[in-house]
Amino acid sequence: MVRTKNEEIPISSGGVHNVLAAGTIVTGSIASDSDFRLDGRIEGDINCKGKIVIGPKGSIAGNIISDNAEILGDVEGSIRIKEKLVFKSTAIIKGDIFTQTLEIEPGAHFNGTCTMSGKSQMDGMQAPGNKKANVTPIK
């Protein structure tokens, strides 16, 4: 919050979120307590307690665990979503998915198995192990 003489103004109305920008590669696992947007590349697992968005240039070689997800980029690994999983038309998925609700736009590519179950069954999902992440900018 920013405070002026008579009022407080919120800095961000969209809430707290993390971003991994295009041109960045992370090797290792990432855990986030808030929303996460991936426009770079991760070689490892992601555990996100909010919503994860993988942008059209984003990619991950690893597993995803999150409450909600919207995927526009590439994923090679399993995806475990407690609530809603959305594959946009540019998404390319190679791996198994586990979710309560699934939405796939025409044009999205999905190669794997899909298991849909209730939220109570998804609550027992295990988080990926904690590993140190190495950030390497692309030159």
Side-chain angles (χ1 to χ4, degrees), residues 2-10:
V2 177
R3 175 172 260 155
T4 63
K5 288 183 181 179
N6 298 323
E7 63 182 297
E8 290 184 354
I9 302 170

Side-chain angles (χ1 to χ4, degrees), residues 118-137:
K119 187 175 183 210
S120 61
Q121 293 174 342
M122 299 301 286
D123 286 339
M125 296 187 306
Q126 295 294 318
N130 292 333
K131 299 177 189 173
K132 288 189 176 181
N134 299 318
V135 178
T136 307

